[in-house]
Structure formats: C-alpha cells, structure tokens
Amino acid sequence: MDQWWDRATAITPAPDQRGTLLLALVAAACILWSPVWRMTRHLVTVVHEGAHGLVALLVGRRLAGIRLHSDSSGLTVSKGRPTGVGMVLTLLAGYVGPAVLGVLLSTGVHSGHAVGTLWLLLVALALLLLQIRNLYGLCVVLVSGVGLFAVTWWLDPTAQTAIAQTIGWFLLLAGPWSLIDLQRSRHAGVAPQSDPDQLARITGVPGLIWWSLMFLSSLGCLAGGARLLLG
C-alpha cells in the first residue's frame, strides 16, 4: 500500500510545449484516421454512458444499468421522472462528458498529478464495471481497465504523464467531433432517438438548440483543456 500511495501521489512534470503538441497530433490521428477511430470511439462511448449514469445518480434517479454495443452505441437506463430538470441534466451529460473528463485530466497533468489522475480514472472504470449489463460492454470496460492498470503499474512516471496527456487531448478533441458525427446522422435521419431529439421531445425546445449547447460546451472545454496542457 505504501508503494502504491507513493506512486499515485508522485509529482511529475508535464512534457514541454513541443512534446505536448506532438501528443495532441497523436490524439487527433486517433480520431481523424477512420480505421483507428472505429476502435477508439468505443472509449468515447464508455465515457458518454458513464456520464449519463453519474449525473442520473447525482440528480436522484435510480441507475438500472449500462449497455455498450459493438457498433459503438450505448444505452444507459435510469428510473425516475420522465421529464423535469433531472432528466434534462441526465440527457445533457452524455455528449458533454468526454470533453469535461478531458478537462479534468488536463487539470491533473497541469498540476503535476498525472499519475494520480490515471489511478482515479482506473477507479472510475471499476465502479462503471458494476453497472454494465451486457457481455460486450463488460469486455470493453475490462480491456480498458487492464490496459490502464498496466500503464499505471509498470510504466515510468514520464511515460505515464505522456499517456495521461494523450488521453486528455483525445477526449477534448473527441467531444466536439462526436457531436459533428451526431449532427450528420441527425441530418440524414438515422438518429431519431439521439440525446438532443429526446431533449426536444420532453422540453419542446428544438433539438438543434440542444445540439448547439452541447457543441459549444465541448468547444469551451477544448479551449480550457488546451490552455492547461499547453501552459
């Protein structure tokens, strides 16, 4: 336990600005290169559904389970009032979640606690695992958790910091990119059950307004996270 605590609380400097920009390019490639994005977008789905579940619990709803599917879609089921502020916040959280987590990771890296931030992320995955209700979702979270544990336990602090920074960049960039993908699907009429459309049905506010709010929030997180990482 002493060894674990020393590793988790170690202070590590972030890479210099040139290294930070290089890691940002690596993260961008994981999004813009389609063969890689087909795999890495599953990580975005994990964060998306985890954000739904966390906010559902925070607003007093009862979480009934989370499913992750092979087409990178997901479903979070919570029980409570079908309308109202709690349901609105729960639906809003999904697409904003990756960018918000990206800011949190960026804050950890900026403060020198990148290793501890990775350990907290591992704990979050372990808690999420308790809510998974299908085999594919179980495999995705387990593989993610094993990979993250290997990083936090066997790599040296410098490599851990670089990986934490890359994950932060990836989530910051994936937030708005996922929303662009969503809008394309909505425009093609193949996403009638999307979060913005569900929000439109329960509030009467057009789905495009809700999408715009999510998109601007993600862009704000990208700007704030980038400033922390580049600082």
Side-chain angles (χ1 to χ4, degrees), residues 16-160:
D16 60 22
Q17 195 169 69
R18 182 177 299 179
T20 297
L21 290 172
L22 178 61
L23 295 175
L25 290 175
V26 171
C30 292
I31 296 170
L32 298 176
W33 190 13
S34 296
V36 178
W37 175 239
R38 282 195 290 270
M39 295 182 293
T40 57
R41 68 189 302 174
H42 290 280
L43 302 178
V44 180
T45 304
V46 170
V47 180
H48 178 113
E49 301 302 332
H52 277 316
L54 175 61
V55 174
L57 292 173
L58 291 176
V59 299
R61 299 178 64 82
R62 186 163 65 86
L63 190 58
I66 296 173
R67 293 176 176 271
L68 306 173
H69 305 136
S70 59
D71 62 353
S72 76
S73 64
L75 177 66
T76 299
V77 179
S78 62
K79 297 183 178 180
R81 288 184 58 195
T83 59
V85 176
M87 190 63 195
V88 169
L89 293 176
T90 299
L91 288 170
L92 270 175
Y95 278 101
V96 179
V100 171
L101 182 57
V103 171
L104 294 177
L105 281 168
S106 302
T107 303
V109 172
H110 180 74
S111 64
H113 293 285
V115 179
T117 303
L118 288 178
W119 276 105
L120 290 176
L121 194 57
L122 184 61
V123 171
L125 280 175
L127 294 175
L128 179 64
L129 191 64
L130 301 176
Q131 296 296 332
I132 298 296
R133 295 294 183 267
N134 67 326
L135 182 60
Y136 187 83
L138 185 69
C139 291
V140 170
V141 177
L142 277 176
V143 169
S144 302
V146 169
L148 190 57
F149 177 79
V151 167
T152 54
W153 193 254
W154 282 295
L155 294 186
D156 63 82
T158 301
Q160 290 173 349

Side-chain angles (χ1 to χ4, degrees), residues 183 186 194 196-197 200 205-215:
Q183 188 59 16
R186 293 182 69 243
S194 69
D197 293 299
V205 178
L208 182 60
I209 300 297
W210 289 112
W211 178 89
S212 300
L213 178 60
M214 296 175 186
F215 187 66

